[in-house]
Amino acid sequence: DAGVIQSPRHEVTEMGQEVTLRCKPISGHDYLFWYRQTMMRGLELLIYFNNNVPIDDSGMPEDRFSAKMPNASFSTLKIQPSEPRDSAVYFCASSLALTSGFTDTQYFGPGTRLTVL
Amino acid sequence: GQQLNQSPQSMFIQEGEDVSMNCTSSSIFNTWLWYKQDPGEGPVLLIALYKAGELTSNGRLTAQFGITRKDSFLNISASIPSDVGIYFCAGHPGSGNTGKLIFGQGTTLQVKP
């Protein structure tokens, strides 16, 4: 399996511009997670989906952030308009729901390093 | 909200030394996971623990799920330079399964050759 795929790996943009991050989860996984990592705040969960439906978006910092999962093999995280404080590494992860009702371990993508100037 | 307290925050050791780090919580967790993150990469799963008291090894790594279900430790024996990275504990809270993982703050490990 190719693992979780994220694109782009690096993104540099100017304040006010729209940014779209993309993720392809591992085939067959039921859950998809978006995280943000910074030195100050560590690894933060932004939002996660189960069977393409958003379950918990309480970690999304502001209305400028939105996430979609139109199908089981694709998700986007959009920031509009972007601000310098959004600079961080954004990770996508996916996992499989176990028959016991608990989710399996999460597998992370390589991340997108976002720099907003 | 639920939090995991991971310690130490950082370690600087000599190659060949053993390493120990731990995670504690004020509430019960159903699973404990240990991840390692190399520079410029995403976290990679090292060990998963599913039962209280479980002790699991993966090469030079050993981790245990605390009997109270509120803590876990990770040991690395005979450290080598490629052990350098950030180690995260994570767990599924015990209050029902939401699919959500709670992460510790990470332990940064540096190994001097």
Side-chain angles (χ1 to χ4, degrees), chain A residues 4 6 9 26 35-37 42-44 89-94 105-112, chain B residues 33-47 85-90 101 103-104 106:
Chain A
V4 175
Q6 289 187 249
R9 290 295 308 272
I26 292 173
Y35 290 88
R36 177 172 68 176
Q37 187 176 40
L43 203 56
E44 303 174 273
V89 181
Y90 291 81
F91 289 104
C92 176
S94 70
T105 56
Q106 292 181 19
Y107 296 86
F108 283 76
T112 295
Chain B
L33 308 165
W34 285 92
Y35 285 85
K36 183 194 177 195
Q37 184 177 22
D38 290 327
E41 301 294 333
V44 174
L45 182 69
L46 296 174
I47 291 179
I86 305 175
Y87 292 79
F88 291 97
C89 63
L101 267 183
F103 278 85

Side-chain angles (χ1 to χ4, degrees), chain B residues 66-90:
Chain B
I67 197 72
T68 65
R69 297 170 64 191
K70 293 183 179 181
D71 64 330
S72 177
F73 71 75
L74 174 71
N75 288 341
I76 305 173
S77 63
S79 59
I80 59 178
S82 62
D83 290 333
V84 165
I86 305 175
Y87 292 79
F88 291 97
C89 63

Side-chain angles (χ1 to χ4, degrees), chain A residues 60-71:
Chain A
M60 296 286 261
E62 298 171 35
D63 291 345
R64 298 183 296 106
F65 285 69
S66 63
K68 294 182 180 179
M69 191 165 185
N71 58 63

Side-chain angles (χ1 to χ4, degrees), chain B residues 48-56 63-66:
Chain B
L49 303 160
Y50 297 102
K51 296 179 183 178
E54 181 179 354
L55 182 70
T56 298
Q64 185 160 31
F65 190 143

Side-chain angles (χ1 to χ4, degrees), chain A residues 30-35 44-60 67-69 75 77 91-95 103 106, chain B residues 92-93 96-102:
Chain A
D30 307 279
Y31 286 80
L32 184 140
F33 306 81
W34 281 101
Y35 290 88
E44 303 174 273
L45 177 65
L46 301 177
I47 184 172
Y48 76 95
F49 297 81
N50 177 215
N51 292 322
N52 313 337
V53 176
I55 302 301
D56 185 347
D57 65 354
S58 59
M60 296 286 261
K68 294 182 180 179
M69 191 165 185
S75 177
L77 177 67
F91 289 104
C92 176
S94 70
S95 68
T103 56
Q106 292 181 19
Chain B
H92 287 299
N97 176 45
T98 64
K100 191 173 175 176
L101 267 183
I102 307 297

